[in-house]
Amino acid sequence: MLDLIWLVPALPLAGATVNLFLLGPSRPGRRLGRNGGWLATALVGLAFAVSVGALLDLLAIGAEERVHVTRLFEWITAGSFSVDVAFRVDPLSITMALVVTGVGALIHLYAIGYMEHDPRIGTFFAYLNLFVAFMLVLVLADNYLLLFVGWEGVGLCSYLLIGFWYDRPTASSAAKKAFVTTRIGDAAMLLGIVLIFVHLGSLDFDAVFGEAAGGLTQGAATAISLLLLAGAIGKSAQLPLHVWLPDAMEGPTPVSALIHAATMVTAGVYLVVRSHVLFELSGTALTVVLVVGLVSALYAALASIGQFDIKRALAYSTMSQIGFMFFAAGMGFYTGAMLLLVCHAFYKALLFLTAGNVLHGMDDETDMRRMGGLRVDMPVSTVWFAIGALSLAGIPPLAGFFAKDQIVSFASTSDRDLAWVLATIGAFLSALYIARPLFLTFFGRRRNDSHAHEAPGLMQTPLAVLALLVVAGGLVLGLTAEGGRLAVFLEPVVGAVEHGGGALSEGTLIGFSVAIAVAAVLVAYWVWASGRVNWQAFPERQPELAGWLANAFYLNALYAWLVQFPGKGFGRALRVVDERVIDGAVNGVADEVGDASRLAPTIQRGFVRSYALAFLLGAVALLLFLGLRIV
Amino acid sequence: MTTPISYFLVVSAMLFSIGTIGVLVRKNALIIFMSVELQLNAVNLALVAFSRMHNELDGQVLAFFSMVVAAAEVVVGLAIIVTVYRRRRSASVDDLTVLRG
Amino acid sequence: MSTWLTLVIFLPLVGIPVLLLWRGATDNQARTVALVVAAADLLVALGVLGAFDPSVAGYQLVEQVEWVSSAGLSYLVGVDGFSIWLVVLTAFMTPLAILSSWRVEHRVRLFMAMTLLLETAILGSFLALDLLLFFVFFEMLLVPMFLVIGVFGSERRVYASVKFFLFTMAGSAFLLLGIVFLWFQTADQLGSPSFDLRQMELLSLGATTQRWLFVAFFIAFAVKVPIFPLHTWLPDAHTEAPTNGSIILAALLLKAGPYGMLRFNLDLFPEASRSFGDAIAMLAVIGIVYGAVVAMMQTDIKRLVAYSSVSHMGFVILGIFTFTVEGTSGAVMQMVNHGLSTGLLFFVVGMLYERTHTRDIGEMGGLAKVTPWIAAAFLVATLSSIGLPGLNNFVGEFLVILGSFGSDRVLGAIAVSGVVLSAIYMLWAYQRTFQGPEPRAEARRGLVDMVPGEIAAVVPVVAAMLVLGVAPNLALDRINPASEGVVAWVNSVEIDQSGLPGGLRAELDPAFTVQAEGSP
């Protein structure tokens, strides 16, 4: 099965092709479309099965040798540069692959019901499959260039899917914004990849990580790491390349769940963890990762609290959670970051899909101010959302508790006091910002008149599975930071993690975490569900503060201004230069030649006697010339 | 008898100058033609004088060439002038400005 | 002596007398004749490809026939890693161009004849190894292009075609000077005069002489590329030309410039190339950014694509003047890639123009709802153009950037920004043109999706783009030996020596042995 690992990306790719050409834009029939959806789901499920098989094969090998590389063919060769299409199965990549295919299959299943009425459902599943294919290429690649193929490929699919309903100008603008913003990071990442080759002569992971210690100066390692990090920042929507993520919620909800919660945005974390050797060689880069993560986490947490659109609130919460993952990685706690990545995939997908239920039931209403009290009409969804939210908040024994608690504890034991304090604040805020939509949407007084209906069974099934994963996942994967199954599994790839002793004992830390989470949830309940706090009046009473929160500190507006003024201004200036100056010079030369040409015939006045004089003068001149020269 | 060559050359130069001035100053095409003939003959005179001076026949032969060419040119030129005169009723060179730029 | 190359060059000419003399032909018959001839030429080109041996580094399939022996002028053609794919590209794109102008109604015979003449001229330029012969073909392609733009173009066609013609010809004047000078040198140094490139490779030229000659040759090619700031003929020519003309101009004519630089400048003037390399690379990078930024400001969709060509050709020039194998091979690949992707872009834009009768992006919108397949084709061309990995342009651009890091990292870093900029303007164009709400009923009249003839033209291009993106080694395997040869040659000479050892070329590259006069 290990050698068949190429099937894992190939299966969804085949699904994409079939859906695109057979069931695509010219055949909007619904029945055909649903079949396309089943096909797409089945293929992803099959890919999951192959991944499981690969996992089993991998486990059969001893822990230290769990790396299997399958070379398919030579891709690009020129001069001293050569790179193959090669896939790698090791604990890190197979973990990612399982998450992508597993959660992906569930989301595909959900989407069959959600997108049922859309005329372009075939195209939708084609894009969704294509996305899964590229994401798998990304995580299973054995060299940086192939990873980059997957990297940009998921960016493309993100573009296609965000802008899926392209007749809405907001959607197509959001798609373009996502693509361009991430491309800035991608361009930097490309430079980093080129630098890797220039210094180390190869892009294959084994070669790069093996030679890095000897072949790279600290400066080079820093440059490379920071460039790769720029790509990660873009793809994972961290500051300052985060502005695309909230707008990306224009896409259909399954897209938000799959791409912008569970998988694509976590690609940055994967990149950092995979390249940890390079980051560790440069101490600075790891610190930058830490700072970026922490700042993004706090920023996004505050922004999430200010959002009234349920999807945007969840989007910022994703950004915040990924910030935590970066934070963990920046501390060197890669297994913690990965545990959070996996658990987050489960509960975030659950949260988004449940939000999809709400949209489905509320006729695409997304503003939470017009929701409330939906637990009466949508009890099942309430349960799902509660499970997801409490998990994110960090209530044991749900998955999120294990992941987040380990990271915060690690911060406390690793001698980074300021970071620990900030992380704890972040933990509090995250519980707060996720409990808020829970209470706003499902609890409290009804603020709408329409009768919301619960989602059908087809859509609820994957949610049930996800909920189960959320409940059990933490226990199965990450009971402790050192001995958790996932941590042990990943250790050969990421190295052993040292957990220092801290001032506080483990038990105290756990208790503290839980207390914070519970407190935050209670505060959220009191503010938004109990009816005792007039949260609706907040924007009027404190317009400035509300404005800062709702507009995410106006960063979006700042970027828009920058694009408009320096950006387009420069463009306009160059255009004028091109048309007036450069082309002006060309046309000017032509005009001058024309004018000179019009001057020349003026000596032909038709006056014969002047011609005669000219003859005479010419003859005299010639004679003088000859005479003087010969002499 | 040895007349100094300079006498011939001075006469030739005077003839040539008269002819040149005639070409430049006169308006009547026929007069201009006559002036050109004067120029050519002045040159013939100089050629023969030099031939005599060097005691070689080259100058005289060249004078013959010159006379033949002058004759041919007169034929063509007079034909043109007569045709122009017939069309325009004027032999004045100043009126022939059709080919101006 | 093989006749593959002569066949591929002159086969299109066969169609011309048929077209011009067959008075009673209907328009459709004329178009069919042209298409058949072009398709036949494609088959011959594939034959050339088959006959091409990837393991040989020098010129292959060489044909030589003495023309004016006292002047050393002969009909001399040969192919190597640099020209083989350009030949295939030309033969591939010409039938496409013919298909793209199937609906032109007036003076069809002249149109088709000019297209075929263009094909011959372009192929001849790529294959000629005799410098004067090259010049003849190089200039030959100006006249049909001038007619195509001037007769069949849009509103400002006369201005655009005259500008194109004069600008290019002015540059070529310097080329002629350089060629003649070299001819005199061969007479002096080698005993008998010759225009044969292989003979000229043996010349030893002083450093200053080399530099002047380099500049002379360079100006002519730089106008063709075009390199900033000699680019201003391009937007007008591309915009005003009919679809057919734009495709040929962008996909094929533009390649004559960088090809000339590779074939002549680097080969004959290695020392001068190295001296000027940094400055030229800088111009190239300026062109990348400049072309992209100005493209962003365009409202005419053809003009936008034209400026994007300026930007993309910057990558090609950058790659050539890195003097690395990666950069050079990347540049040659980019020539082919750009031909495919920009050719497709102009094709789609032409389809749009035929249906909407406007090039103004502001007047279009929501077309994806009405013509989804055209939208898809445009999107694929866009994705290729912006360098999405998996499609062809990524490979070339990556190799060029890799190569540029061998010489100047700052330039490479700036060049990468081209990737971001191109995404910005292309996606903006796509969004404004195709996305958005459906156009109103009256605007929708005449908007049909791609017809089978157009699909037949689009599919091969898309397939080629995919193949080159996924398996570029198919192309690179044939390009690399030539790149390695040129790069080794250029890097082997010292800069700033007053005289260069003659015959060094022959010592370094056994593949480039000079044939004795008169034998093939």
Side-chain angles (χ1 to χ4, degrees), chain A residues 470-538:
Chain A
V470 172
V471 169
L475 293 165
V476 171
L477 290 177
L479 210 43
T480 67
E482 278 155 24
R485 279 205 185 78
L486 188 63
V488 171
F489 184 53
L490 289 176
E491 214 162 283
V493 181
V494 299
V497 179
E498 279 147 41
H499 296 258
L504 305 166
S505 81
E506 183 129 5
T508 324
L509 285 170
I510 293 183
F512 190 42
S513 292
V514 176
I516 292 181
V518 170
V521 172
L522 288 176
V523 169
Y525 179 80
W526 185 63
V527 173
W528 285 294
S530 68
R532 297 213 196 112
V533 172
N534 189 356
W535 55 268
Q536 274 150 315
F538 179 64

Side-chain angles (χ1 to χ4, degrees), chain A residues 77 80 183 575 578 583, chain C residues 163 231 290 297 307 386 473:
Chain A
T77 314
S80 53
R183 219 164 212 222
R575 181 182 171 177
D578 193 67
D583 212 21
Chain C
K163 189 173 180 183
H231 64 282
Y290 181 87
M297 293 290 119
Y307 275 106
I386 65 181
N473 275 351

Side-chain angles (χ1 to χ4, degrees), chain A residues 44 181 185 365 503 507 561:
Chain A
V44 179
T181 314
E365 174 65 71
W561 183 87

